[in-house]
Amino acid sequence: MRAVSKKRAKEKKVVAQMIRIYCNDHHREKGLCEDCEELLAYAHRRIDLCPFMESKTFCSNCRVHCYEKTKREQIKAIMRYSGPRMLLHHPLMAMHHVISSIQEKRRLEREK
């Protein structure tokens, strides 16, 4: 159970950093703008309620996408923008994400 809590906290931290990078570069407000703050709260709620946290790595690798359509589009745009920039801002976090994603995709391919 503790591992799942750690995993949730880590995923929340990653999504928060990505939203901060995007918001800082696009909205130029001190801290997060209202829209990004709302999206972050939404993402944290989805992470808290995720029933697959024990077995999945990241939402992008999940079989079930629990975000409503507009929020999913927003977070995808943020991830596309912030993902490459994470290497500059948070290199260890970015490398862990890349390695974990590759491992998860390989695992999913073997299960097919």
Side-chain angles (χ1 to χ4, degrees), residues 48-64:
D48 285 338
L49 297 172
C50 179
F52 304 109
M53 189 57 66
E54 210 172 300
S55 61
K56 74 173 184 80
T57 52
F58 302 104
C59 293
S60 59
N61 296 335
C62 192
R63 296 181 307 273
V64 178

Side-chain angles (χ1 to χ4, degrees), residues 1-52:
M1 193 64 163
R2 182 183 163 156
V4 174
S5 296
K6 254 180 127 171
K7 201 171 182 181
R8 283 185 204 281
K10 193 173 210 170
E11 193 159 329
K12 285 180 179 182
K13 189 175 179 180
V14 170
V15 77
Q17 292 300 333
M18 293 182 97
I19 291 173
R20 281 188 193 101
I21 290 168
Y22 180 88
C23 189
N24 183 54
D25 291 356
H26 286 84
H27 305 138
R28 303 276 185 207
E29 291 188 21
K30 190 173 187 170
L32 291 179
C33 71
E34 189 175 319
D35 289 341
C36 290
E37 188 69 52
E38 180 184 318
L39 182 61
L40 178 60
Y42 180 83
H44 282 188
R45 283 192 306 274
R46 297 285 91 199
I47 292 167
D48 285 338
L49 297 172
C50 179
F52 304 109

Side-chain angles (χ1 to χ4, degrees), residues 57-58 61 95-105:
T57 52
F58 302 104
N61 296 335
M95 290 308 297
H96 177 266
H97 183 81
V98 168
I99 292 167
S100 296
S101 291
I102 291 168
Q103 289 173 338
E104 176 70 4
K105 285 179 184 174

Side-chain angles (χ1 to χ4, degrees), residues 72-83:
R72 190 177 323 138
E73 294 305 316
Q74 285 178 301
I75 203 73
K76 281 168 109 176
I78 288 170
M79 300 265 176
R80 265 188 244 110
Y81 178 83
S82 299

